[in-house]
Amino acid sequence: MKKYTYTEKKDTRSGFGAGLLEAGKKNDQVVALCADLIGSLKMDAFIKEFPERFFQIGIAEANMMGIAAGLTIGGKIPFTGTFANFSTGRVYDQIRQSIAYSDKNVKICASHAGLTLGEDGATHQILEDIGMMKMLPGMVVINPCDYNQTKAATMAIADYHGPVYLRFGRPTVPVFTDPDQKFEIGKAWMVNEGTDVSIFATGHMVWKAIEAGELLAEAGINVEIINIHTIKPLDEEAVLKSVAKTGCVVTAEEHNRIGGLGDSIAQLLARNNPVPQEYVAVNDSFGESGTPDQLMKKYGLDTEDIIKAVNKVIKRK
């Protein structure tokens, strides 16, 4: 098992803030909109540097999406910012009709996704957003794993023409990827090569998969871990190549088991190479209030849950 270490933990939303500032420096067409959550979205540095390119919309998320769509007509590249729940569920009609259907160049940037929003509870912990957004034709869906990858992804989507959903989170997590990485939309990242099982993980679950892989290696199980930071378009070639070697799959995501990364993998394998698969995901339920660690453990998204899924799926080979 390849060894990964870290010296600090940072929240992925801060990676977004840093990436937005760099994207703004690189391209003067980049603008930002926020629904009264500047601090939570870490937009302060961008606003300080480019006050004339920032629009405070207030608690009017549907209006924010409409304004963002309109700004693209004049050549602007708008980045919208609010919580993932309000970036998707609250404004799905506006995104579908005004952004996705007309292929507008809007970057929908969504913080506080998943259970790790924590104490704010089920009303804010959206677990359906990946499924909602990936079903929209033409929508790119990205879910990076740490601060550095989120920063790189934010900069990369500014150069991509078309609607994008960028998902990130609130808690501090290990920073273990290259600070100077080149982010490629739709290109999976091989974290560790292995032969016994393929673990496809996304977002905060990538580090959990690494922890599980180290413990499984001690037990003699050689895992292949692949970071699926771009859920749509899915890197089908990387998935199929890995599964052809290992013959079984575990998917790990901080999302509902229905409609997320696991379903995308399952659909691909059903068409090409059906193999045993286990899901590490929330089992079709809402969340609740609690600390991120408490919730990840209660809802089956911890390192031990990945280990259990690996042991189970290998027996099914």
Side-chain angles (χ1 to χ4, degrees), residues 181-212:
Q181 66 190 274
K182 176 177 169 54
F183 187 92
E184 295 184 61
I185 296 173
K187 185 70 173 177
W189 174 46
M190 177 67 72
V191 179
N192 185 73
E193 293 192 44
T195 56
D196 295 332
V197 59
S198 299
I199 302 177
F200 299 109
T202 187
H204 296 147
M205 296 302 291
V206 176
W207 183 254
K208 297 286 187 183
I210 291 171
E211 290 180 330

Side-chain angles (χ1 to χ4, degrees), residues 13 83 112-126 170-172 254 287-296 299:
R13 59 178 172 155
F83 288 0
H112 294 59
L115 287 173
T116 50
L117 170 56
E119 290 85 351
D120 286 1
T123 56
H124 287 52
Q125 296 161 346
I126 194 161
R170 177 187 190 182
T172 58
E254 189 185 343
E288 61 184 289
S289 296
T291 68
D293 287 344
Q294 288 172 335
L295 295 170
M296 294 288 273
Y299 287 88

Side-chain angles (χ1 to χ4, degrees), residues 41 80 82-84 87-88 108-113 165-169:
L41 270 290
T80 68
T82 186
F83 288 0
S87 289
T88 57
I108 302 165
C109 304
S111 183
H112 294 59
Y165 179 60
L166 178 64
R167 183 189 207 247
F168 42 92

